[in-house]
């Protein structure tokens, strides 16, 4: 609802694991319809990140839906794996990995370019918007190929620093 209303960006502590669980619950039925397994491996005791929960969930939703759509034409195991962990520099790392065809030659390099798409019905805006959201949260978003097949999209977000006065 906040996305539609164009609500101003909130800056608050976000438990990224809870935000991811909500999105996974939301798309679990769609994953089953696609014949895909949607799995999570969320790190315990992860620090909160600072940001807008709805925008971060929009990023997660887009990454998972992209992964499901990418696997729609493949035979065999269809799996999306979402994980979290701590990264260097006091950041939280979120990873979405699928068992689809991957980005293709040099596709990972162009994946975040506006209007670049590998889908016949795609607009090429989803990953570009995701990158804008992560950039606005002082994070970093990137993609790479998986071996022997699949795509890996990761982002980092700075941890929330509690500025409570003593």
């Amino acid at each position: 609802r906040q996305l539609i209303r164009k609500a101003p960006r909130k800056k608050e502590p976000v438990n990224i694991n809870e935000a991811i669980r909500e999105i996974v619950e939301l798309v679990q039925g769609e994953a089953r319809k696609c014949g895909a397994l949607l799995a999570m491996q969320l790190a315990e005791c992860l620090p909160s990140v600072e940001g807008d929960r709805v925008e971060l969930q929009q990023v997660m939703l887009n990454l998972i839906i992209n992964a499901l759509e990418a696997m729609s034409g493949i035979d065999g195991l269809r799996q999306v794996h979402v994980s979290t962990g701590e990264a260097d520099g006091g950041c939280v790392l979120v990873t979405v990995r699928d068992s689809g065809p991957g980005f293709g030659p040099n596709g990972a390099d162009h994946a975040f370019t506006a209007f670049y798409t590998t889908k016949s019905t795609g607009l090429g805006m989803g990953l570009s918007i995701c990158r804008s959201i992560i950039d606005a949260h002082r994070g970093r978003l990137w993609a790479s190929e998986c071996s022997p097949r699949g795509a890996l999209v990761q982002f980092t977000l700075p941890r929330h620093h509690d500025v409570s006065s003593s």
Side-chain angles (χ1 to χ4, degrees):
R1 288 186 190 141
Q2 285 177 319
L3 290 173
I4 294 168
R5 280 188 272 150
K6 300 279 187 198
R9 177 174 291 129
K10 291 182 182 176
K11 292 280 189 167
E12 59 189 12
V14 176
N15 180 322
I16 198 71
N17 286 345
E18 284 179 11
I20 290 169
R21 280 188 198 99
E22 289 172 5
I23 292 301
V24 167
E25 186 177 320
L26 181 71
V27 296
Q28 197 66 259
E30 187 64 29
R32 277 192 292 274
K33 276 195 251 177
C34 297
L37 174 65
L38 183 52
M40 292 183 291
Q41 185 175 356
L42 307 179
E44 293 181 28
C45 302
L46 207 55
S48 294
V49 297
E50 184 174 319
D52 186 303
R53 180 185 191 90
V54 172
E55 287 187 353
L56 296 174
Q57 286 182 315
Q58 178 186 2
V59 170
M60 287 305 305
L61 180 63
N62 190 279
L63 297 181
I64 293 170
I65 294 297
N66 279 359
L68 292 172
E69 289 175 352
M71 295 185 303
S72 66
I74 68 162
D75 293 327
L77 179 67
R78 295 177 183 173
Q79 185 172 8
V80 178
H81 188 263
V82 180
S83 62
T84 58
E86 288 194 61
D88 294 337
C91 290
V92 171
L93 173 69
V94 178
T95 301
V96 178
R97 181 183 191 136
D98 69 53
S99 60
F103 291 103
N106 301 318
D109 297 334
H110 301 291
F112 301 100
T113 304
F115 305 111
Y116 174 83
T117 184
T118 58
K119 296 185 246 176
S120 60
T121 59
L123 296 175
M125 291 303 295
L127 289 177
S128 176
I129 291 168
C130 287
R131 176 167 271 170
S132 296
I133 291 170
I134 297 300
D135 287 351
H137 284 79
R138 298 181 345 267
R140 186 169 155 289
L141 174 67
W142 68 98
S144 51
E145 293 285 330
C146 294
S147 182
R149 69 178 199 184
L152 179 70
V153 180
Q154 297 175 288
F155 63 89
T156 55
L157 294 166
R159 70 188 310 162
H160 172 74
H161 293 288
D162 210 0
V163 193
S164 52
S165 55
S166 324

